[in-house]
Amino acid sequence: LTLRPLVPVAASTLHTVTVADVEDTSGNALAAAQITTFTTGSGLDFVGPNLAGALPLNGAIGVPTGIVPEVQFTEPVNPVTVDDTQLFVERVSNSVKVPGSVTVAPDGTSATYTPDAPLEPGTSYRVRVFFGVQDHVGNGYVGTSVPTTFTTGP
């Protein structure tokens, strides 16, 4: 369930959302009302997530072929927006994407790319991140599209 207010909610205010009297398509009613509270920040968020760090470090050499590269963000990202089209690893020499999968940390402040197989030894790779990665209000990633480049060891 997504609620989108018609006007911005008040800043620095405790808000309560109550969901009640809801049925699924089969007519099964929600057993009890669901109540959630949240407090808004002091203002509107117009800035997208940026790069806070990356592993392996940029320019690293001798990186193990079983590495699972990670990027850290300056704010939580919406995990729905982080997939293998927006975050991936590719070979530097030919820009061929390494098959793999993305996992976003539960707190949304980092994501990893797990290659389907070990990387090739003695090969340069780069991690790519694109603006389709968004925070929870829809602001796109504003950092560099190549947060780290590294070379695997033998």
Side-chain angles (χ1 to χ4, degrees), residues 50-51 127-130 141-148:
N50 204 335
L51 181 69
V127 175
R128 302 298 307 264
V129 183
F130 292 101
Y141 174 72
V142 295
T144 176
S145 66
V146 183
T148 185

Side-chain angles (χ1 to χ4, degrees), residues 3-95:
L3 300 175
R4 296 194 188 272
L6 297 176
V7 296
V9 294
S12 302
T13 304
L14 175 67
H15 298 274
T16 301
V17 176
T18 303
V19 178
D21 301 323
V22 175
E23 294 181 355
D24 65 15
T25 56
S26 297
N28 300 308
L30 187 64
Q34 302 296 305
I35 301 171
T36 301
T37 61
F38 65 94
T39 302
T40 51
S42 59
L44 297 176
D45 178 4
F46 293 111
V47 179
N50 204 335
L51 181 69
L55 294 172
L57 295 176
N58 191 34
I61 57 173
V63 174
T65 58
I67 187 76
V68 175
E70 177 180 333
V71 292
Q72 296 100 29
F73 301 104
T74 56
E75 65 176 291
V77 295
N78 181 346
V80 173
T81 67
V82 188
D83 60 22
D84 65 357
T85 66
Q86 298 302 312
L87 170 65
F88 57 89
V89 173
E90 68 181 11
R91 284 184 197 87
V92 170
S93 64
N94 58 10
S95 299

